[in-house]
Amino acid sequence: MKCPAILSTESERLIALSNHGLDDEKLIPSLEPAVQIAARMFNMPVAAVNMIGSDHVFFAASVGVGTVDMSRDVSFCAHAINEVNGMVIPDATLDDRFHDNPLVTGVANLRFYAGVPLRTPEGLALGALCVIDNKPHLDFSADDHLRLQELAKMVSDRLELRRIEVAANRTRPNFEEYAGSSNTPVVWFDETRRITAWNAAAAQSHGYTLEEGVGKPVEMLIPERHHLQFQASVAHAIATASLDQLSIPSEVRGLRKDGTEFLLGFSLFGWKEAGQMKFEAVLKDITAQRLEEMELRHQANIDPLTGLANRASFYRSVEDTLIAAKPASVLMIDLDGFKDINDTLGHIVGDTILKEVSVRIAKLVEHIGVAARIGGDEFAILLPFMTDTALVKEVAESVIQHIALPIVMDGQEVRIAASCGAALAPLQAHEALELVSNADLALFKAKSLGRGRVFLFVTALRMEADARRLYALELHRAVDEGEFLLFYQPQVNLLTGEITGAEALIRWNHPQRGILTPASFLPALEGGTLAATVGAWVLDEACAQAAYWRRNGAANLRMGVNLFGAQFRVGDLVSEVMETLDRHGLPPEALELEITENIALNHDDVVLRSLHHLREHGVGIAFDDFGTGYASLSLLKTYPLTRIKIDQSFVHGMLEHEQDASVIRATLDMAHSFHLEAIAEGIETEAQRKHLMQKKCSEGQGYLFGKPMSAIKFSAILGIKQYARAVA
């Protein structure tokens, strides 16, 4: 653990801390609004003003945590005060300074920290304003940091007011020495409520010259409607010789010489002098500060591009609704194919579309709910009191239909589709996070069904999600214990029946559930951190098996290996593939890598570059599930493919449905035109084989030729003896 540095100005800093009355470890109520704003603005569970003593720190104001007294050595804020603009730690466990800090490793479980120094006008750091979370935040932006710095300036202003208050209650120098040159407006007055001294800052803020104040009634600085209340307060203070029993507002209306009113931060202090009460009023014009706070609140709640509620504001609305025990529904909406629009037409067009979609959604729910932009191309709607499933579905479909209407830009029509998921409370959830999560699961299901679809949450979706989570936890054990294995499905020449290749298909030999197919665990694997690791194992195992078969009689056998998207993002896929081929003595043409459209579209530039390099080395590239996506034709043109695989859904229906037959004819025509090989998946009958052969499809795979099988069984149909070494 790295301890914070002690600056050369430490002695001056500690004196300033004492002058502000910050050496008594008390909470400061005037700082509470600032930490409340910080917590809401950044959606953090903890926000605090942390004061740094000589060897300890304490919270002067906080939200989300009680009073804390800790060693300076472990304090993150003690580090932050040494930085000019503060410090942001996205993930403390990855930071060499803090990974072994007791606040990180202990029960506090601190993961994220952002703090900005609170400085005196002389630049001495008293402490820091910070926001904290027990989970990392890699998305805390430079703009977020700037907003935190602006909040810190507000806190510093309030600390300066406290310094004046503390000074007023200590031995008083003469006014000129005390406040004559201060930028903070200060007014002294006596028991007759006549001004005895004021500084230029006070005179200027009220529109007077310095000479116009002394001897005048202090009431001239506040509107007439407040005079009686002010006079009564002063009279009470004189009678009791104390301000302790007075309820003094922190904000009042001020009155300028020209009759205009403005907002004042108000502090009143009193002391005895020569048997008479003397008073001090600190009257700071906070109009600009309030406008800034309003703007900060606005920024904290509103999406800047669309003007809709943002993610944090939307969650709070849902939470407030459910806490009040009101029924409600949540719709989650995602634009289909929006990335393509951004990539092809540019971000300016994309932003215009997002704004127009926002206007349409807001108009539809104007009187019945709350619309929000959650982020990117995702929107959300809260519908309080709406729990009729038919009505919720009707609203959702109306939203989808209105989004689908053409958007005219520069005389051109642009159309975009959207998918929507919906969930209801209390029928399907009792907490905000659960309700939004359920709607998100329904959205995921809607998108899996195609474009422009609506899906209402059902319990089975949560069960599937829980199963995926469970599998995700078990996947680490599966990798460590070697529970994955490969099955192989034969690929054959449709004319001769000769086995030309094998597709390697992953299976999970689960210790309790037996052999699991990819459908049950692949979503959890692809969405986790192990996809690249498992993908590398599949590649190596499949190449080892292919090398064994080619050395023992199947000299021309081709091995097909499915790639995970993560393999393009982690490490160097091209080097990994070539090293694997070299390690097992395989020529590049013995390997065919299979990609899906989702991989190509999600990582287009990276994928395209890697595949071109692999193709240049001689490795085959197959496009899987052809015809089921949205951009297959463009991919044929841009990607270095050697083979397209016709999806089994078309093969199953081609003899009964002309549409499926037409898709297959068109696909084969395109393959021949692009000089690509074609292989049909899912062939189950002899009639299907003959039909495909007549349409000049050269290869196929399916149950007619063999189900996915173990290496031992596949070796048997090749007529090769399989030894235990190569068994997955």
Side-chain angles (χ1 to χ4, degrees):
M1 181 185 76
K2 183 177 180 180
C3 294
I6 304 298
L7 297 177
S8 59
T9 57
E10 177 68 2
S11 59
E12 293 92 332
R13 194 189 70 79
L14 293 175
I15 292 171
L17 203 67
S18 176
N19 289 341
H20 284 73
L22 298 172
D23 51 358
D24 56 1
E25 304 187 14
K26 291 181 180 178
L27 293 176
I28 304 174
S30 64
L31 303 184
E32 286 296 327
V35 294
Q36 294 284 350
I37 290 172
R40 290 197 302 269
M41 178 182 297
F42 303 108
N43 194 26
M44 296 285 174
V46 175
V49 172
N50 210 350
M51 294 302 168
I52 312 300
S54 58
D55 58 2
H56 69 290
V57 299
F58 64 93
F59 285 166
S62 67
V63 60
V65 66
T67 303
V68 173
D69 188 355
M70 71 182 80
S71 164
R72 181 171 176 174
D73 287 345
V74 304
S75 169
F76 280 59
C77 288
H79 285 269
I81 66 170
N82 294 331
E83 304 292 336
V84 175
N85 296 317
M87 180 177 75
V88 177
I89 308 297
D91 188 346
T93 62
L94 304 179
D95 194 295
D96 290 340
R97 296 168 294 177
F98 302 108
H99 68 94
D100 56 350
N101 188 297
L103 295 178
V104 177
T105 60
V107 293
N109 189 31
L110 192 156
R111 293 291 297 278
F112 171 80
Y113 172 91
V116 175
L118 303 171
R119 300 190 185 278
T120 67
E122 297 76 28
L124 299 170
L126 305 173
L129 170 66
C130 65
V131 289
I132 298 169
D133 203 346
N134 59 7
K135 59 185 179 182
H137 285 276
L138 303 180
D139 56 350
F140 193 84
S141 66
D143 285 343
D144 291 330
H145 193 183
L146 284 174
R147 285 198 286 270
L148 189 61
Q149 291 176 49
E150 290 300 318
L151 275 176
K153 290 177 184 176
M154 291 168 46
V155 175
S156 294
D157 287 345
R158 296 192 177 193
L159 287 173
E160 175 64 8
L161 287 176
R162 178 177 174 83
R163 182 193 66 77
I164 293 172
E165 176 184 356
V166 169
N169 289 317
R170 295 176 177 174
T171 302
R172 292 182 178 275
N174 65 63
F175 185 85
E176 281 305 313
E177 180 184 343
Y178 169 69
S181 60
S182 174
N183 292 325
T184 300
V186 178
V187 178
W188 282 7
F189 60 95
D190 59 19
E191 289 187 352
T192 66
R193 302 186 306 281
R194 297 282 172 176
I195 297 174
T196 58
W198 70 344
N199 59 12
Q204 203 170 45
S205 74
H206 285 80
Y208 293 91
T209 64
L210 188 62
E211 294 74 20
E212 292 180 280
V214 176
K216 298 291 179 63
V218 73
E219 286 96 331
M220 74 179 188
L221 305 180
I222 59 176
E224 186 176 354
R225 63 183 180 276
H226 298 315
H227 287 184
L228 289 177
Q229 182 181 354
F230 175 73
Q231 292 164 4
S233 296
V234 172
H236 186 277
I238 294 170
T240 60
S242 171
L243 275 65
D244 290 346
Q245 303 302 316
L246 289 181
S247 176
I248 301 172
S250 60
E251 295 178 6
V252 299
R253 301 298 297 179
L255 182 67
R256 294 190 181 93
K257 183 178 179 180
D258 62 9
T260 58
E261 295 184 13
F262 62 109
L263 193 60
L264 282 174
F266 179 69
S267 300
L268 184 65
F269 314 105
W271 68 97
K272 276 275 192 178
E273 187 176 297
Q276 297 286 312
M277 282 294 294
K278 303 291 183 179
F279 298 93
E280 174 182 313
V282 179
L283 304 169
K284 186 173 182 182
D285 184 348
I286 58 173
T287 305
Q289 179 180 315
R290 281 293 169 268
L291 289 174
E292 186 177 358
E293 288 178 3
M294 289 173 61
E295 178 60 25
L296 288 171
R297 289 192 186 97
H298 181 81
Q299 292 176 11
N301 291 285
I302 301 300
D303 174 62
L305 177 66
T306 65
L308 297 181
N310 62 14
R311 177 191 295 270
S313 176
F314 180 76
Y315 281 172
R316 284 196 297 273
S317 296
V318 177
E319 194 170 55
D320 291 345
T321 300
L322 298 194
I323 287 175
K326 298 176 184 176
S329 298
V330 163
L331 309 184
M332 299 295 285
I333 303 148
D334 187 79
L335 304 186
D336 298 325
F338 184 73
K339 182 180 182 298
D340 289 342
I341 289 178
N342 263 342
D343 291 346
T344 56
L345 301 180
H347 289 280
I348 293 177
V349 173
D351 286 351
T352 302
I353 290 173
L354 291 174
K355 291 176 185 177
E356 177 59 27
V357 168
S358 300
V359 170
R360 295 179 181 184
I361 293 175
K363 189 174 181 180
L364 278 171
V365 301
E366 185 175 10
H367 301 296
I368 59 173
V370 176
R373 181 185 178 214
I374 300 301
D377 61 345
E378 191 171 358
F379 298 84
I381 295 172
L382 170 64
L383 299 171
F385 303 107
M386 191 176 293
T387 56
D388 181 277
T389 53
L391 186 56
V392 171
K393 189 172 184 181
E394 183 181 328
V395 172
E397 289 175 343
S398 179
V399 170
I400 298 305
Q401 290 164 8
H402 279 75
I403 291 174
L405 295 175
I407 299 172
V408 180
M409 289 183 292
D410 298 327
Q412 300 293 319
E413 285 190 356
V414 178
R415 294 177 181 269
I416 190 158
S419 301
C420 179
L424 289 68
L427 179 64
Q428 297 163 336
H430 295 279
E431 296 180 352
L433 188 61
E434 183 184 14
L435 180 60
V436 173
S437 175
N438 287 348
D440 217 26
L441 289 173
L443 171 62
F444 182 79
K445 181 66 174 179
K447 291 184 75 69
S448 73
L449 298 174
R451 292 192 172 199
R453 305 295 286 270
V454 172
F455 196 88
L456 267 60
F457 176 81
V458 292
T459 307
L461 294 180
R462 174 59 59 191
M463 295 171 65
E464 291 171 7
D466 291 342
R468 285 196 298 272
R469 262 197 307 275
L470 178 62
Y471 280 138
L473 295 173
E474 292 187 295
L475 283 172
H476 287 273
R477 186 206 65 232
V479 171
D480 293 340
E481 299 297 326
E483 294 174 8
F484 290 114
L485 64 144
L486 293 184
F487 275 21
Y488 302 89
Q489 187 170 30
Q491 298 172 332
V492 304
N493 182 302
L494 293 181
L495 179 62
T496 66
E498 176 190 3
I499 294 177
T500 56
E503 180 180 2
L505 300 166
I506 192 169
R507 297 291 187 267
W508 183 359
N509 187 13
H510 195 282
Q512 283 83 42
R513 301 177 182 87
I515 302 295
L516 301 179
T517 61
S520 61
F521 65 86
L522 214 53
L525 180 58
E526 290 177 322
T529 59
L530 297 172
T533 302
V534 174
W537 174 83
V538 171
L539 177 67
D540 185 72
E541 184 68 23
C543 285
Q545 187 64 65
Y548 178 83
W549 283 332
R550 287 171 70 96
R551 287 195 302 269
N552 288 276
N556 298 314
L557 186 78
R558 179 185 68 244
M559 179 62 72
V561 174
N562 295 277
L563 292 177
F564 292 111
Q567 290 175 269
F568 291 93
R569 303 192 303 270
V570 178
D572 184 345
L573 178 63
V574 178
S575 297
E576 180 185 335
V577 169
M578 300 315 298
E579 289 170 3
T580 302
L581 290 172
D582 184 61
R583 182 163 59 251
H584 297 294
L586 281 177
E589 62 269 18
L591 177 63
E592 185 172 81
L593 299 174
E594 299 187 12
I595 63 166
T596 62
E597 183 182 288
N598 283 340
I599 291 177
L601 292 180
N602 289 340
H603 314 285
D604 47 358
D605 292 337
V606 176
V607 172
L608 185 59
R609 187 164 52 250
S610 298
L611 293 181
H612 271 297
H613 289 323
L614 288 166
R615 187 70 201 104
E616 288 166 3
H617 285 296
V619 176
I621 309 294
F623 190 25
D624 202 6
D625 302 331
F626 186 82
T628 60
Y630 305 124
S632 301
L633 296 180
S634 64
L635 293 179
L636 284 183
K637 185 177 178 180
T638 56
Y639 276 70
L641 303 175
T642 55
R643 187 183 309 276
I644 55 179
K645 302 188 75 175
I646 302 172
D647 188 70
Q648 60 181 340
S649 60
F650 302 114
V651 173
H652 290 166
M654 67 183 179
L655 299 181
E656 292 81 23
H657 304 290
E658 177 55 29
Q659 287 180 329
D660 290 332
S662 297
V663 170
I664 287 181
R665 285 197 301 271
T667 301
L668 290 171
D669 286 342
M670 284 187 291
H672 298 147
S673 298
F674 282 93
H675 305 292
L676 302 175
E677 297 294 330
I679 182 169
E681 298 179 295
I683 301 174
E684 296 181 355
T685 67
E686 182 64 24
Q688 291 171 344
R689 183 192 71 82
K690 289 181 178 178
H691 181 82
L692 289 164
M693 191 172 61
Q694 290 169 1
K695 300 303 177 185
K696 298 182 180 179
C697 180
S698 57
E699 291 190 17
Q701 67 184 88
Y703 286 3
L704 179 65
F705 313 111
K707 296 181 179 181
M709 61 191 76
S710 67
I712 292 177
K713 291 183 179 179
F714 200 100
S715 295
I717 66 173
L718 290 175
I720 297 173
K721 183 175 179 59
Q722 177 73 45
Y723 292 97
R725 177 251 156 259
V727 176

